[in-house]
Amino acid sequence: MLFADLPTQRSTVARPEPPRSGGGWRDAAMGLLPLLALVLFFTTGRWWWFLLIPAGAVIVRATDGGGRGR
């Protein structure tokens, strides 16, 4: 009775996207870069190793060909 006058709700559940094929080395490189930067930071004591992370993202995106994610 309490909800009788409310409109019915349609299912708006989004379907998950299928996994992307290709780009395996790119995903692996982006996953390993923060770990590499952290190891290099602790071994050398230099903070600028963390700049590898955004620099690596730029390089990976540049070698992507611009087709992925569009």
Side-chain angles (χ1 to χ4, degrees), residues 37-68:
L38 193 63
V39 167
L40 289 171
F41 168 72
F42 282 119
T43 57
T44 64
R46 308 280 183 186
W47 65 268
W48 44 265
W49 287 111
F50 291 108
L51 295 176
L52 279 177
I53 300 167
V58 168
I59 292 170
V60 165
R61 181 66 179 146
T63 60
D64 190 9
R68 203 169 110 192

Side-chain angles (χ1 to χ4, degrees), residues 1-8:
M1 292 286 279
L2 181 62
F3 301 108
D5 60 342
L6 294 177
T8 59

